[in-house]
Amino acid sequence: YRRLRRYRGTRTHSTGHGVVIGIDLGATNAKAGAVDSHGNLLGSSSVALEDLSVPSVVQSLVACANRAVEQSGVDWSQVAGVGIGAPGHIHEGAVRAAANFPEWRDVPLAALLEKLLARPVCLCNDAG
């Protein structure tokens, strides 16, 4: 949360406030939504995950986020940051281990996505 707060000045054309992207990473699919500061869903997307390798999943997450932003009618320059809920043991922006992704060990998912999306990324465990 602290990392996203510094981008509060980001503006959108429709609401005057920053837009954030939320991503739900599941075992079989990923879903993304673009949400304004009032919690209104501006755009969404989903993608099936057929290949669970790190490069393939990261590429799918980027594509899913891009489609949600495109559908929302805002530009990436108006996006304040990205939050991801992912399964498994999450620590300091990395997936340390996840039953749904058995080959993943110490995957720096937040850093990989920050590099590709050019926005701050907050990675959290999606459990309850």
Side-chain angles (χ1 to χ4, degrees), residues 40-100:
N40 299 312
L41 182 64
L42 304 175
S44 63
S45 178
S46 64
V47 62
L49 301 176
E50 297 175 15
D51 177 355
L52 299 181
S53 68
V54 173
S56 180
V57 171
V58 168
Q59 181 180 28
S60 294
L61 293 176
V62 169
C64 195
N66 281 330
R67 281 195 293 263
V69 170
E70 182 179 305
Q71 189 185 75
S72 74
V74 301
D75 185 81
W76 269 103
S77 66
Q78 298 165 308
V79 175
V82 179
I84 302 174
H89 177 99
I90 308 297
H91 184 69
E92 296 183 356
V95 179
R96 300 297 180 201
N100 296 347

Coordinates of all heavy atoms in Angstrom, one line a residue, residues 40-100:
N40 N -15.4 1.7 -8.7 CA -16.2 1.4 -9.9 C -15.3 0.6 -10.9 O -14.2 1.0 -11.2 CB -16.7 2.7 -10.6 CG -17.6 3.5 -9.7 OD1 -18.6 2.9 -9.1 ND2 -17.4 4.7 -9.6
L41 N -15.8 -0.5 -11.3 CA -15.1 -1.3 -12.3 C -15.2 -0.6 -13.7 O -16.3 -0.4 -14.2 CB -15.7 -2.7 -12.4 CG -15.0 -3.7 -13.3 CD1 -13.6 -3.9 -12.9 CD2 -15.8 -5.0 -13.4
L42 N -14.1 -0.2 -14.2 CA -14.1 0.5 -15.5 C -13.8 -0.5 -16.7 O -14.2 -0.2 -17.8 CB -13.0 1.5 -15.5 CG -13.0 2.6 -14.4 CD1 -11.8 3.5 -14.4 CD2 -14.3 3.3 -14.5
G43 N -13.2 -1.6 -16.5 CA -12.9 -2.6 -17.5 C -12.4 -3.8 -16.9 O -11.8 -3.8 -15.8
S44 N -12.5 -5.0 -17.6 CA -12.1 -6.2 -17.0 C -11.7 -7.2 -18.1 O -12.0 -6.9 -19.3 CB -13.1 -6.9 -16.1 OG -14.3 -7.2 -16.9
S45 N -10.9 -8.2 -17.7 CA -10.4 -9.2 -18.7 C -10.1 -10.5 -18.0 O -9.9 -10.4 -16.8 CB -9.2 -8.6 -19.4 OG -8.6 -9.6 -20.3
S46 N -10.1 -11.5 -18.7 CA -9.7 -12.8 -18.1 C -9.0 -13.6 -19.2 O -9.2 -13.4 -20.4 CB -10.8 -13.6 -17.6 OG -11.7 -14.0 -18.6
V47 N -8.1 -14.5 -18.7 CA -7.3 -15.3 -19.7 C -7.1 -16.7 -19.0 O -6.8 -16.8 -17.8 CB -5.9 -14.6 -20.0 CG1 -5.1 -14.4 -18.8 CG2 -5.2 -15.3 -21.1
A48 N -7.2 -17.7 -19.9 CA -6.9 -19.0 -19.4 C -5.4 -19.2 -19.3 O -4.6 -18.8 -20.1 CB -7.5 -20.1 -20.3
L49 N -5.0 -20.0 -18.3 CA -3.6 -20.3 -18.1 C -3.4 -21.7 -18.5 O -3.7 -22.6 -17.7 CB -3.1 -20.0 -16.7 CG -3.3 -18.6 -16.1 CD1 -2.9 -18.6 -14.6 CD2 -2.4 -17.7 -16.9
E50 N -2.8 -22.0 -19.7 CA -2.6 -23.3 -20.1 C -1.2 -23.8 -19.8 O -1.0 -25.0 -19.5 CB -2.9 -23.4 -21.6 CG -4.4 -23.1 -21.9 CD -4.7 -23.1 -23.3 OE1 -3.9 -23.6 -24.2 OE2 -5.8 -22.6 -23.7
D51 N -0.2 -22.9 -19.9 CA 1.2 -23.2 -19.6 C 1.5 -22.4 -18.3 O 1.4 -21.2 -18.2 CB 2.0 -22.6 -20.7 CG 3.5 -22.8 -20.5 OD1 3.9 -23.3 -19.4 OD2 4.3 -22.5 -21.4
L52 N 1.9 -23.2 -17.2 CA 2.1 -22.6 -15.9 C 3.5 -22.2 -15.7 O 3.9 -22.0 -14.5 CB 1.6 -23.6 -14.8 CG 0.1 -23.9 -14.9 CD1 -0.3 -24.8 -13.7 CD2 -0.7 -22.6 -14.9
S53 N 4.4 -22.2 -16.7 CA 5.7 -21.7 -16.6 C 5.7 -20.2 -16.2 O 4.8 -19.5 -16.6 CB 6.6 -22.0 -17.8 OG 6.1 -21.1 -18.9
V54 N 6.8 -19.8 -15.6 CA 6.9 -18.4 -15.2 C 6.8 -17.4 -16.4 O 5.9 -16.5 -16.3 CB 8.2 -18.1 -14.3 CG1 8.3 -16.6 -14.1 CG2 8.1 -18.9 -13.0
P55 N 7.6 -17.6 -17.4 CA 7.5 -16.7 -18.5 C 6.1 -16.6 -19.2 O 5.6 -15.6 -19.5 CB 8.5 -17.2 -19.6 CG 9.4 -18.0 -18.8 CD 8.6 -18.6 -17.6
S56 N 5.4 -17.8 -19.3 CA 4.1 -17.8 -19.9 C 3.0 -17.1 -19.0 O 2.2 -16.4 -19.5 CB 3.7 -19.3 -20.2 OG 2.4 -19.3 -20.7
V57 N 3.1 -17.4 -17.7 CA 2.1 -16.8 -16.8 C 2.3 -15.3 -16.7 O 1.4 -14.5 -16.8 CB 2.2 -17.4 -15.4 CG1 1.4 -16.6 -14.4 CG2 1.7 -18.9 -15.4
V58 N 3.6 -14.8 -16.7 CA 3.9 -13.4 -16.7 C 3.3 -12.7 -17.9 O 2.7 -11.7 -17.9 CB 5.4 -13.1 -16.5 CG1 5.7 -11.7 -16.7 CG2 5.8 -13.5 -15.1
Q59 N 3.6 -13.4 -19.1 CA 3.1 -12.8 -20.3 C 1.6 -12.8 -20.3 O 1.0 -11.8 -20.8 CB 3.6 -13.7 -21.5 CG 3.1 -13.2 -22.9 CD 3.6 -14.1 -24.0 OE1 3.9 -15.3 -23.8 NE2 3.8 -13.5 -25.1
S60 N 0.9 -13.8 -19.8 CA -0.6 -13.8 -19.7 C -1.1 -12.7 -18.8 O -2.1 -12.1 -19.1 CB -1.0 -15.2 -19.2 OG -0.8 -16.2 -20.2
L61 N -0.4 -12.5 -17.7 CA -0.8 -11.4 -16.7 C -0.7 -10.0 -17.4 O -1.6 -9.2 -17.2 CB 0.0 -11.5 -15.4 CG -0.2 -12.7 -14.6 CD1 0.8 -12.7 -13.4 CD2 -1.6 -12.8 -14.1
V62 N 0.4 -9.8 -18.1 CA 0.6 -8.5 -18.8 C -0.6 -8.3 -19.8 O -1.2 -7.3 -19.9 CB 2.0 -8.4 -19.4 CG1 2.1 -7.2 -20.4 CG2 3.0 -8.4 -18.3
A63 N -0.8 -9.4 -20.6 CA -1.9 -9.3 -21.6 C -3.2 -9.0 -21.0 O -4.0 -8.2 -21.5 CB -1.9 -10.6 -22.5
C64 N -3.5 -9.7 -19.9 CA -4.8 -9.5 -19.2 C -4.9 -8.1 -18.7 O -6.0 -7.5 -18.8 CB -4.9 -10.6 -18.1 SG -6.5 -10.8 -17.4
A65 N -3.9 -7.6 -18.0 CA -3.9 -6.2 -17.5 C -4.1 -5.2 -18.7 O -4.8 -4.3 -18.6 CB -2.6 -5.9 -16.7
N66 N -3.4 -5.4 -19.8 CA -3.5 -4.5 -20.9 C -4.9 -4.5 -21.5 O -5.4 -3.4 -21.8 CB -2.5 -4.9 -22.0 CG -1.1 -4.5 -21.7 OD1 -0.9 -3.4 -21.1 ND2 -0.1 -5.2 -22.2
R67 N -5.5 -5.7 -21.5 CA -6.9 -5.7 -22.0 C -7.9 -5.0 -21.1 O -8.8 -4.3 -21.5 CB -7.4 -7.1 -22.3 CG -6.8 -7.7 -23.6 CD -7.5 -9.0 -24.0 NE -7.3 -10.1 -23.1 CZ -6.3 -11.0 -23.3 NH1 -5.6 -11.0 -24.4 NH2 -6.1 -12.0 -22.4
A68 N -7.7 -5.1 -19.8 CA -8.5 -4.4 -18.8 C -8.4 -2.9 -18.9 O -9.4 -2.2 -18.9 CB -8.2 -4.9 -17.4
V69 N -7.1 -2.5 -19.1 CA -6.9 -1.0 -19.3 C -7.5 -0.5 -20.6 O -8.2 0.5 -20.6 CB -5.4 -0.7 -19.2 CG1 -5.1 0.7 -19.6 CG2 -4.9 -1.0 -17.8
E70 N -7.3 -1.3 -21.6 CA -7.9 -0.9 -22.9 C -9.4 -0.8 -22.8 O -10.0 0.1 -23.3 CB -7.5 -1.9 -24.0 CG -8.0 -1.6 -25.4 CD -7.5 -2.7 -26.4 OE1 -6.3 -2.9 -26.5 OE2 -8.4 -3.2 -27.1
Q71 N -10.0 -1.8 -22.2 CA -11.5 -1.8 -22.1 C -12.0 -0.7 -21.2 O -13.1 -0.2 -21.4 CB -12.0 -3.2 -21.5 CG -13.5 -3.3 -21.5 CD -13.9 -4.6 -20.9 OE1 -13.9 -4.7 -19.7 NE2 -14.3 -5.6 -21.7
S72 N -11.2 -0.2 -20.3 CA -11.6 0.8 -19.3 C -11.7 2.2 -20.0 O -12.3 3.1 -19.5 CB -10.6 0.9 -18.1 OG -9.4 1.5 -18.5
G73 N -11.0 2.4 -21.1 CA -10.9 3.7 -21.8 C -9.9 4.6 -21.2 O -9.9 5.8 -21.6
V74 N -9.1 4.2 -20.3 CA -8.0 5.0 -19.8 C -6.7 4.6 -20.4 O -6.6 3.6 -21.0 CB -7.9 5.0 -18.2 CG1 -9.2 5.4 -17.6 CG2 -7.5 3.6 -17.7
D75 N -5.7 5.4 -20.2 CA -4.4 5.2 -20.7 C -3.5 4.7 -19.5 O -3.8 5.0 -18.4 CB -3.8 6.5 -21.2 CG -2.4 6.3 -21.9 OD1 -2.4 5.8 -23.0 OD2 -1.4 6.5 -21.2
W76 N -2.5 3.9 -19.8 CA -1.6 3.4 -18.7 C -1.0 4.6 -17.9 O -0.7 4.4 -16.8 CB -0.5 2.5 -19.3 CG -0.9 1.1 -19.3 CD1 -1.3 0.4 -20.4 CD2 -0.9 0.2 -18.2 NE1 -1.6 -0.9 -20.0 CE2 -1.4 -1.0 -18.7 CE3 -0.7 0.3 -16.9 CZ2 -1.5 -2.2 -17.9 CZ3 -0.8 -0.8 -16.0 CH2 -1.3 -2.0 -16.5
S77 N -0.8 5.7 -18.5 CA -0.3 6.9 -17.8 C -1.2 7.3 -16.7 O -0.8 8.0 -15.7 CB 0.0 8.0 -18.7 OG -1.3 8.5 -19.2
Q78 N -2.5 6.9 -16.7 CA -3.4 7.2 -15.7 C -3.6 6.1 -14.6 O -4.3 6.2 -13.7 CB -4.8 7.4 -16.3 CG -4.8 8.6 -17.3 CD -6.0 8.6 -18.2 OE1 -6.3 7.6 -18.8 NE2 -6.6 9.8 -18.2
V79 N -2.8 5.0 -14.7 CA -2.9 3.9 -13.8 C -1.8 4.2 -12.7 O -0.6 4.3 -13.0 CB -2.6 2.6 -14.5 CG1 -2.5 1.4 -13.5 CG2 -3.7 2.3 -15.5
A80 N -2.3 4.2 -11.5 CA -1.4 4.5 -10.3 C -0.6 3.2 -9.9 O 0.6 3.4 -9.5 CB -2.2 4.9 -9.1
G81 N -1.1 2.1 -10.1 CA -0.4 0.9 -9.7 C -1.2 -0.4 -9.9 O -2.4 -0.3 -10.4
V82 N -0.6 -1.5 -9.6 CA -1.2 -2.8 -9.8 C -1.1 -3.6 -8.5 O -0.1 -3.7 -7.9 CB -0.5 -3.6 -10.9 CG1 -1.1 -5.0 -11.2 CG2 -0.5 -2.7 -12.2
G83 N -2.3 -4.3 -8.2 CA -2.3 -5.2 -7.0 C -2.6 -6.6 -7.6 O -3.4 -6.8 -8.4
I84 N -1.8 -7.6 -7.0 CA -2.0 -9.0 -7.5 C -2.3 -9.8 -6.2 O -1.5 -9.8 -5.3 CB -0.8 -9.5 -8.2 CG1 -0.5 -8.7 -9.4 CG2 -1.0 -11.0 -8.6 CD1 0.8 -9.1 -10.1
G85 N -3.3 -10.6 -6.3 CA -3.6 -11.7 -5.3 C -3.2 -13.0 -6.0 O -3.6 -13.3 -7.1
A86 N -2.3 -13.7 -5.3 CA -1.7 -15.0 -5.8 C -1.7 -16.0 -4.8 O -1.6 -15.7 -3.6 CB -0.3 -14.7 -6.4
P87 N -1.8 -17.3 -5.2 CA -1.8 -18.4 -4.2 C -0.4 -18.6 -3.7 O 0.6 -18.3 -4.4 CB -2.3 -19.6 -5.0 CG -1.9 -19.3 -6.4 CD -2.0 -17.8 -6.5
G88 N -0.3 -19.3 -2.6 CA 1.0 -19.7 -2.1 C 1.7 -18.9 -1.0 O 1.1 -17.9 -0.5
H89 N 2.9 -19.2 -0.8 CA 3.7 -18.4 0.2 C 4.3 -17.2 -0.5 O 5.1 -17.3 -1.4 CB 4.8 -19.3 0.7 CG 5.7 -18.7 1.7 ND1 5.6 -18.8 3.0 CD2 6.8 -17.8 1.5 CE1 6.5 -18.1 3.6 NE2 7.3 -17.5 2.7
I90 N 3.8 -16.0 -0.1 CA 4.3 -14.8 -0.7 C 5.1 -14.0 0.3 O 4.7 -13.9 1.5 CB 3.0 -13.9 -1.1 CG1 2.0 -14.7 -1.9 CG2 3.5 -12.6 -1.8 CD1 2.5 -15.2 -3.3
H91 N 6.3 -13.5 -0.1 CA 7.1 -12.8 0.8 C 7.9 -11.7 0.0 O 8.6 -12.1 -1.0 CB 8.1 -13.7 1.5 CG 8.9 -13.0 2.6 ND1 8.4 -12.4 3.7 CD2 10.2 -12.7 2.6 CE1 9.4 -11.9 4.4 NE2 10.5 -12.0 3.7
E92 N 7.8 -10.5 0.4 CA 8.5 -9.4 -0.3 C 8.4 -9.4 -1.8 O 9.5 -9.3 -2.5 CB 10.0 -9.4 0.2 CG 10.1 -9.1 1.7 CD 11.5 -9.1 2.2 OE1 12.5 -9.3 1.4 OE2 11.7 -8.8 3.4
G93 N 7.2 -9.5 -2.3 CA 7.0 -9.4 -3.7 C 7.3 -10.6 -4.5 O 7.3 -10.6 -5.8
A94 N 7.6 -11.7 -3.8 CA 8.0 -13.0 -4.5 C 7.0 -14.1 -4.1 O 6.6 -14.2 -3.0 CB 9.4 -13.3 -4.2
V95 N 6.8 -15.0 -5.1 CA 6.1 -16.3 -4.8 C 7.2 -17.2 -4.4 O 8.0 -17.7 -5.2 CB 5.3 -16.8 -6.0 CG1 4.6 -18.1 -5.7 CG2 4.3 -15.7 -6.5
R96 N 7.3 -17.5 -3.1 CA 8.3 -18.4 -2.6 C 8.0 -19.9 -3.0 O 8.9 -20.6 -3.3 CB 8.5 -18.3 -1.1 CG 8.9 -16.9 -0.6 CD 10.2 -16.6 -1.2 NE 10.6 -15.2 -0.7 CZ 11.5 -14.5 -1.3 NH1 12.1 -14.9 -2.3 NH2 11.8 -13.3 -0.8
A97 N 6.7 -20.3 -2.9 CA 6.2 -21.6 -3.2 C 4.7 -21.5 -3.4 O 4.1 -20.8 -2.7 CB 6.6 -22.6 -2.2
A98 N 4.2 -22.3 -4.3 CA 2.7 -22.4 -4.5 C 2.3 -23.7 -5.0 O 2.9 -24.2 -6.0 CB 2.3 -21.3 -5.4
A99 N 1.3 -24.3 -4.3 CA 0.9 -25.7 -4.7 C 0.3 -25.7 -6.1 O 0.5 -26.6 -6.9 CB -0.2 -26.2 -3.7
N100 N -0.3 -24.6 -6.5 CA -0.9 -24.5 -7.9 C 0.2 -24.3 -9.0 O -0.1 -24.5 -10.1 CB -1.8 -23.3 -7.9 CG -3.0 -23.4 -7.0 OD1 -3.3 -24.5 -6.5 ND2 -3.8 -22.3 -6.8

